[in-house]
């Protein structure tokens, strides 16, 4: 599998985390551009989940299928929950929650590769 | 009885889940999810392989869930349970971290707390410290409030007691 999508997710996740932390440092609340960036990350993660599901559908299996399925379910939930939790916070700590989601997205891609090395990063 | 307004100049968030607590609850929820999923998969699929590690994973999951819920609720009872959860978590990560280094044979498979949480960027080690620091702000505030609601003379006494 082409590793372009997970690599993009790692870069996007880290960039989102960096931008969010700058917002927190500058004492800014959640903004529409930040929310849009979370939306982009979510779309990228859904594409990646789709690619992995396609690989499963083609008959290939990882060493631990339950673990992989757990990751496939949890991965797209993270940005959605973070966006909600960041929006209800009307202080600098809203963007800080988004920073966590960005970092988690990047870490999840590395973990996916560890669980199933055919998923290139 | 209505609670007295916060003294001017203090802009502390009203609840344990707001302000920095929002970030804390987010990270706790993340660990509650990952520890539960990890323990669930391990116990369901290969319990005999490393029973001690998997039971510790499950215990860690329960502690993280408890801390997430109590930090979110944030009333005095919940805060007491949260202090207990964070303390248990700190003790657990220190004990299991040391144990996993001293006796690696007991841990053929890692837990959240193995190597002081090294598999999770040592977040499990620093998280309970931040949790307890955050909760300690509330206990200080509660003491201040108690001093405010008593009569002026009592309040003076309370301050004097606090200083002595």
């Amino acid at each position: 599998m082409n590793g372009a999508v997970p690599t993009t997710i790692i870069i996007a996740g880290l960039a989102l985390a960096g931008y969010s932390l700058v917002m927190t440092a500058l004492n800014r609340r959640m903004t529409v551009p930040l929310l849009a960036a979370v939306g982009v990350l979510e779309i990228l993660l859904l594409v990646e989940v789709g690619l992995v599901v396609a690989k499963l559908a083609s008959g290939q299996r990882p060493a631990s299928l339950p673990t992989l399925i757990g990751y496939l379910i949890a991965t797209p939930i993270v940005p959605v929950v973070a966006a909600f939790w960041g929006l209800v916070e009307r202080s600098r700590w809203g963007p800080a929650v988004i920073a966590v989601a960005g970092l988690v997205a990047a870490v999840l891609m590395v973990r996916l590769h560890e669980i199933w090395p055919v998923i290139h990063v | 009885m209505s609670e007295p307004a916060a003294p001017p100049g203090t802009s502390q968030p009203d609840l344990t889940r707001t302000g920095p607590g929002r970030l804390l609850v987010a990270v706790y929820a993340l660990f509650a999810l990952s520890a539960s999923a990890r323990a669930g998969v391990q116990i369901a699929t290969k319990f005999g392989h490393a029973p001690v590690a998997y039971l510790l994973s499950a215990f860690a999951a329960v502690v993280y869930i408890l801390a997430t819920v109590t930090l979110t609720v944030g009333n005095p009872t919940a805060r007491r349970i949260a202090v207990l959860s964070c303390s248990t978590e700190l003790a657990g990560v220190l004990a299991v971290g040391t144990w996993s280094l001293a006796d690696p044979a007991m841990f053929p498979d890692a837990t959240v707390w193995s190597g002081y949480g090294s598999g999770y960027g040592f977040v499990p080690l620093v998280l309970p410290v931040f949790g307890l620091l955050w909760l300690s702000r509330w206990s200080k505030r509660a003491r201040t409030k108690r001093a405010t609601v008593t009569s002026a003379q009592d309040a003076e006494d309370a301050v004097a007691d606090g200083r002595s």
Side-chain angles (χ1 to χ4, degrees):
Chain A
M1 186 190 289
N2 190 324
V5 176
T7 306
T8 309
I9 291 170
I10 291 173
I11 294 166
L14 293 178
L16 180 65
Y19 179 67
S20 304
L21 287 176
V22 170
M23 300 281 271
T24 300
L26 295 176
N27 207 4
R28 303 275 170 81
R29 294 175 176 183
M30 282 287 287
T31 58
V32 173
L34 192 59
L35 202 60
V38 179
V40 171
L41 183 69
E42 174 69 11
I43 291 166
L44 285 168
L45 289 173
L46 287 172
V47 170
E48 175 62 14
V49 168
L51 289 171
V52 175
V53 169
K55 216 162 185 55
L56 284 172
S58 75
Q60 301 182 61
R61 287 290 179 272
S64 173
L65 186 60
T67 308
L68 183 75
I69 290 172
Y71 272 74
L72 292 181
I73 295 169
T75 301
I77 295 174
V78 170
V80 175
V81 173
F84 165 76
W85 198 236
L87 273 177
V88 292
E89 174 64 33
R90 301 314 296 166
S91 79
R92 63 162 74 194
W93 299 102
V97 172
I98 304 302
V100 174
L103 288 175
V104 168
V107 170
L108 284 176
M109 290 306 108
V110 177
R111 287 281 221 218
L112 267 179
H113 171 74
E114 287 170 1
I115 294 168
W116 202 13
V118 294
I119 304 167
H120 296 294
V121 175
Chain B
M1 191 176 74
S2 67
E3 288 189 331
T10 61
S11 58
Q12 275 201 345
D14 298 326
L15 298 161
T16 49
R17 64 169 174 272
T18 59
R22 195 74 68 176
L23 179 62
L24 205 57
V25 169
V27 179
Y28 264 110
L30 188 67
F31 274 86
L33 175 71
S34 55
S36 307
R38 178 174 207 153
V41 168
Q42 286 174 334
I43 289 173
T45 60
K46 45 177 183 175
F47 182 68
H49 179 57
V52 174
Y54 300 162
L55 286 175
L56 282 170
S57 284
F59 177 71
V62 172
V63 172
Y64 284 124
I65 292 168
L66 203 59
T68 308
V69 172
T70 52
L71 280 168
T72 307
V73 174
N75 62 35
T77 311
R79 288 202 302 269
R80 273 193 286 276
I81 300 171
V83 169
L84 209 64
S85 306
C86 292
S87 308
T88 307
E89 191 193 334
L90 186 59
V93 71
L94 291 173
V96 174
T98 308
W99 188 11
S100 65
L101 295 180
D103 186 9
M106 267 324 263
F107 296 88
D109 211 344
T111 76
V112 182
W113 291 339
S114 297
Y116 305 106
S118 59
Y120 292 81
F122 293 103
V123 175
L125 186 60
V126 292
L127 194 57
V129 176
F130 281 110
L132 288 170
L133 283 173
W134 180 234
L135 287 160
S136 76
R137 288 178 60 171
W138 258 265
S139 51
K140 275 181 206 145
R141 200 181 179 193
R143 281 197 293 276
T144 316
K145 265 187 185 167
R146 272 199 296 276
T148 316
V149 292
T150 52
S151 71
Q153 184 56 54
D154 287 351
E156 269 176 28
D157 291 345
V159 171
D161 288 346
R163 282 193 189 130
S164 60

